[in-house]
Amino acid sequence: MPSLAPLRSFALAALNLLYPPRCAACLARLPAPGDFCPPCAAQLQPIDGPHCRTCSEPFSGRLAAPFACPNCRGQSFAFDCALSAWRSSGPLREAIHRFKYGRHLHLRLPLAHKLRDALADPRFPPAPAANWFLVPVPLHPRRLRERRFNQSAELALTLSKLTGLPCRHLLRRTRYTSSQAALNRPERLRNLAGAFSLKPRTPLPPHAGFLLVDDVFTTGSTAHECAAVLKKAGAGPVIVLTVARG
Ligand SMILES: [Zn+2]
Ligand SMILES: [Zn+2]
């Protein structure tokens, strides 16, 4: 059978001509293959310095011991830790916003690249669990109709293609909740209590660890509620994986 590779590269070249690759944040044409234009890429903020061992909140300064940030101090989260390689600021925040609210679905690929960066964190994988599964944070069906797609599911499925890690839609949102954006942490927790459950007839894979996928980690309330459902069902390690840390 003849190779399809030349045809594929021709199709890709034609597509690039019709739709030249653009920066995920500012829409400028990209001079070379990539996700962000050079000025936007220069503004992305990696989380590569000292950070909270639980939620990855960066700490500006030097640290001698593992650091628990004010967000986590005195908290007990149901997840083991939350990993993000990038801050939610500037061009990345802009790209996430356009993806989620502007329905720019194609941005799932550049954002999944940023999500994949979090897997390089030395906290992953922790010792136990043989197999890891990606689990998207679910949307309520009503929110899904409003937004037309679940951003977490799109990111998890794209990351699954990039890494080979299987994706399982284990959770569902059983209660429609108002937007979390304007709420503080106690209000968020109250708003979300009992909002998630395990999908019926969906047993957890045994001896597994779970990577809970979302776009942004802010207070951790959503991730906590989802992780609590998985842990209650007997899950081993649950690690939160987000494109960015708010
Ligand atoms: Zn740009
Ligand atoms: Zn923290």
Side-chain angles (χ1 to χ4, degrees):
M1 193 175 143
S3 163
L4 289 175
L7 198 62
R8 238 180 241 135
S9 61
F10 175 77
L12 203 65
L15 258 178
N16 281 347
L17 213 66
L18 275 173
Y19 304 100
R22 290 180 181 275
C23 170
C26 74
L27 303 179
R29 279 193 184 195
L30 292 177
D35 296 326
F36 291 87
C37 70
C40 285
Q43 288 178 57
L44 298 175
Q45 289 186 289
I47 300 178
D48 52 6
H51 53 261
C52 172
R53 63 189 164 190
T54 306
C55 78
S56 300
E57 168 77 6
F59 176 76
S60 53
R62 289 162 64 88
L63 284 176
F67 163 65
C69 77
N71 180 45
C72 296
R73 223 170 283 149
Q75 289 288 321
S76 73
F77 286 121
F79 51 82
D80 296 76
C81 61
L83 310 181
S84 298
W86 301 93
R87 294 246 51 171
S88 171
S89 64
L92 187 55
R93 194 183 164 131
E94 176 63 32
I96 292 170
H97 208 268
R98 287 185 41 232
F99 169 57
K100 195 165 160 180
Y101 302 112
R103 297 188 181 136
H104 291 241
L105 194 55
H106 68 282
L107 294 179
R108 63 192 161 186
L109 182 61
L111 294 177
H113 288 151
K114 294 286 172 260
L115 187 62
R116 182 177 57 184
D117 292 341
L119 289 173
D121 192 291
R123 286 169 288 176
F124 177 77
N131 304 305
W132 287 87
F133 292 86
L134 302 169
V135 180
V137 168
L139 279 188
H140 189 273
R142 187 171 142 199
R143 179 83 71 211
L144 191 61
R145 280 197 298 277
E146 290 164 5
R147 197 173 287 164
R148 307 228 185 121
F149 65 92
N150 174 356
Q151 76 279 2
S152 306
E154 295 295 334
L155 289 168
L157 287 167
T158 310
L159 185 65
S160 176
K161 282 185 195 143
L162 292 173
T163 60
L165 288 166
C167 179
R168 293 279 185 282
H169 300 266
L170 296 173
L171 300 170
R172 64 175 177 168
R173 198 154 184 152
T174 47
R175 202 152 55 71
Y176 185 84
T177 51
S178 53
S179 170
Q180 296 276 96
L183 306 181
N184 63 26
R185 202 228 303 263
E187 289 167 341
R188 283 180 184 219
L189 281 173
R190 266 200 302 281
N191 192 35
L192 286 175
F196 299 94
S197 71
L198 215 55
K199 271 194 176 172
R201 296 179 297 282
T202 314
L204 293 194
H207 314 297
F210 300 93
L211 289 160
L212 192 60
V213 174
D214 208 355
D215 52 346
V216 179
F217 183 101
T218 312
T219 64
S221 314
T222 304
H224 167 73
E225 287 294 325
C226 290
V229 171
L230 292 172
K231 291 271 179 169
K232 204 173 156 200
V238 177
I239 291 181
V240 184
L241 204 65
T242 59
V243 174
R245 177 70 175 84

